[in-house]
């Protein structure tokens, strides 16, 4: 069987890096993302770019605006010409999608502001996890696509839920993990009852930020990175992570590298059995996305493992999701298939050895 050609993937990652303000090496990408062509894979892609494929990947990986910004950067640096731009129809579709994502970011920010004001009025502190704090590390904060709003209320979850239910008539639901869920307009909020990282919340482990005059709390760099790492590792082991997760990790480290205590991060990662996953993320960030090597510890995964990891992130082997209303038999079969397909990822996270450089 011929080795698969990953030219569209090369173009996607390279363009994304440009939009994020990172300097990916085209030679390194050609090495990591295997290609049957001997020529530089990135140059080969831009000779006849498949923008439809890149756009699809940008949507799937929730990085529509950064990839579009990357195309603009390629024009400025003359790596592509106007003749190599996407078709006018695709450009309109791309811009419309990017604007919709940015509008959702504004909606989410407004929900965070309203929630922060409501809780503050009842002397309840609100810590924002991921989301808004990470977006501040992007060249344009609104370019970071939103997921859910994740919050922690320093142990006041039950009181806060009752206040929302009674004062604002908000419908509160509980998931099996113990967190409560509710919607404000179109935005889903996950209110964490238990935060394993809470042991880090000593003096100085969070700080106050302001959103349009409303005070909220953000985790310090160490707490934020630990939460981000655990969140991504759980998704990777049992499902998929997207390039947005890798972009979050990379940009956050670049923005806060002087505040990060890697000794503490590594200790917690070892305790939770995800240190090798952390090394894979760091290797991806430095060797594929252009993060400065001095910002992370010197441990790296092998070239083979890095290639497997990168390709799994970009094109997951089991990308499907289970419908909530699926019959019982379908749910059982789906979970068995997912468990089998993801078995190598559990071994990768827990058992693969890393090399030190």
């Amino acid at each position: 069987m011929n080795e698969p050609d990953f030219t569209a993937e090369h173009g996607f990652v390279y363009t994304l890096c440009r939009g994020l303000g990172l300097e990916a090496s085209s030679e390194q990408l050609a090495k990591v993302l295997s290609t049957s062509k001997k020529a530089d894979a990135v140059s080969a892609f831009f000779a006849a770019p498949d923008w439809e494929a890149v756009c699809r990947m940008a949507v799937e990986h929730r990085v529509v605006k950064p990839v579009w910004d990357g195309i603009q950067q390629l024009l400025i640096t003359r790596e592509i010409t106007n003749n190599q731009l996407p078709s006018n129809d695709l450009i309109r579709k791309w811009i419309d999608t990017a604007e919709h994502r940015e509008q959702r970011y504004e909606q989410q920010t407004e929900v965070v502001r309203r929630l922060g004001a409501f809780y503050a009025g009842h002397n309840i502190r609100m810590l924002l996890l991921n989301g808004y704090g990470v977006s501040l590390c992007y060249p344009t904060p609104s370019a970071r696509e939103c997921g859910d709003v994740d919050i922690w209320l320093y142990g006041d979850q039950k009181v806060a839920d009752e206040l929302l239910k009674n004062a604002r008539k908000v419908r509160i639901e509980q998931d099996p993990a113990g967190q409560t869920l509710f919607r404000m307009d179109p935005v889903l909020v996950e209110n964490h009852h238990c935060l394993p990282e809470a042991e880090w919340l000593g003096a100085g482990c969070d700080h106050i930020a302001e959103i349009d005059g409303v005070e909220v709390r953000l985790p310090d760099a160490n707490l934020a990175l630990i939460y981000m790492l655990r969140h991504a590792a759980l998704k990777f082991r049992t499902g998929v992570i997207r390039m947005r997760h890798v972009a979050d990790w990379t940009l956050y480290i670049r923005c806060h590298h002087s505040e990060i205590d890697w000794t503490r991060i590594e200790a917690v990662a070892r305790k939770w059995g995800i240190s090798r996953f952390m090394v894979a993320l760091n290797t991806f960030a430095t060797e594929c996305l252009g993060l400065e090597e001095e910002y992370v510890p010197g441990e790296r995964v092998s070239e083979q493992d890095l290639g497997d990891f990168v390709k799994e992130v970009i094109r997951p082997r089991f990308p499907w999701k289970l419908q909530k209303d699926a019959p019982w038999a379908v749910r059982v079969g789906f979970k068995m298939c997912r468990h089998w397909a993801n078995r190598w990822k559990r071994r990768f996270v827990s058992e693969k050895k890393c090399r030190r450089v």
Side-chain angles (χ1 to χ4, degrees), residues 68 82 85-95:
W68 176 250
N82 286 319
L85 285 173
S87 67
N88 289 335
D89 286 345
L90 184 57
I91 287 176
R92 283 193 292 270
K93 176 184 174 182
W94 211 320
I95 292 175

Side-chain angles (χ1 to χ4, degrees), residues 8 11-12 15 45 50-65 67-68 71 86 89-95 97-98 101 145:
F12 165 65
T15 309
F45 172 80
D50 184 358
W51 291 123
E52 290 279 357
V54 172
C55 185
R56 283 196 302 272
M57 282 186 276
V59 172
E60 290 170 4
H61 289 273
R62 302 174 185 173
V63 286
V64 175
K65 183 63 164 56
V67 174
W68 176 250
I71 294 176
D89 286 345
L90 184 57
I91 287 176
R92 283 193 292 270
K93 176 184 174 182
W94 211 320
I95 292 175
T97 304
R101 300 295 195 272
E145 293 191 22

Side-chain angles (χ1 to χ4, degrees), residues 11 14-15 18 42-51 67-86 91 94:
Y14 190 73
T15 309
R18 288 294 181 267
V42 175
S43 298
F45 172 80
F46 289 122
D50 184 358
W51 291 123
V67 174
W68 176 250
D69 290 343
I71 294 176
Q72 310 309 304
Q73 288 298 317
L74 294 177
L75 274 175
I76 293 171
T77 58
R78 300 180 184 276
E79 293 179 78
I80 62 172
T81 65
N82 286 319
N83 293 332
Q84 294 170 290
L85 285 173
I91 287 176
W94 211 320

Side-chain angles (χ1 to χ4, degrees), residues 125-243:
R125 295 172 296 166
M126 180 178 76
L127 182 72
L128 290 175
L129 303 165
N130 273 352
Y132 180 78
V134 178
S135 74
L136 300 179
C137 300
Y138 278 64
T140 304
S142 61
R144 185 197 182 265
E145 293 191 22
C146 302
D148 306 327
V149 173
D150 291 271
I151 62 174
W152 190 64
L153 302 178
Y154 297 81
D156 290 330
Q157 179 204 36
K158 291 184 178 179
V159 173
D161 286 347
E162 286 300 315
L163 287 169
L164 272 179
K165 188 189 302 182
N166 296 329
R168 297 292 180 88
K169 307 304 179 185
V170 174
R171 181 182 176 185
I172 308 291
E173 298 179 354
Q174 187 161 358
D175 75 357
Q179 61 194 20
T180 50
L181 310 173
F182 58 88
R183 287 192 176 275
M184 295 189 69
D185 297 328
V187 178
L188 179 66
V189 180
E190 295 188 6
N191 188 357
H192 292 252
H193 174 64
C194 176
L195 187 67
E197 298 83 357
E199 63 186 87
W200 290 77
L201 281 173
C205 286
D206 59 354
H207 61 275
I208 293 175
E210 190 174 284
I211 302 177
D212 296 335
V214 174
E215 289 186 353
V216 298
R217 290 177 181 268
L218 299 177
D220 79 340
N222 294 304
L223 178 60
L225 211 61
I226 291 169
Y227 179 83
M228 206 181 306
L229 176 64
R230 183 175 64 87
H231 184 72
L234 288 173
K235 281 184 169 292
F236 181 77
R237 284 173 63 94
T238 59
V240 298
I241 62 171
R242 300 296 187 182
M243 283 299 293

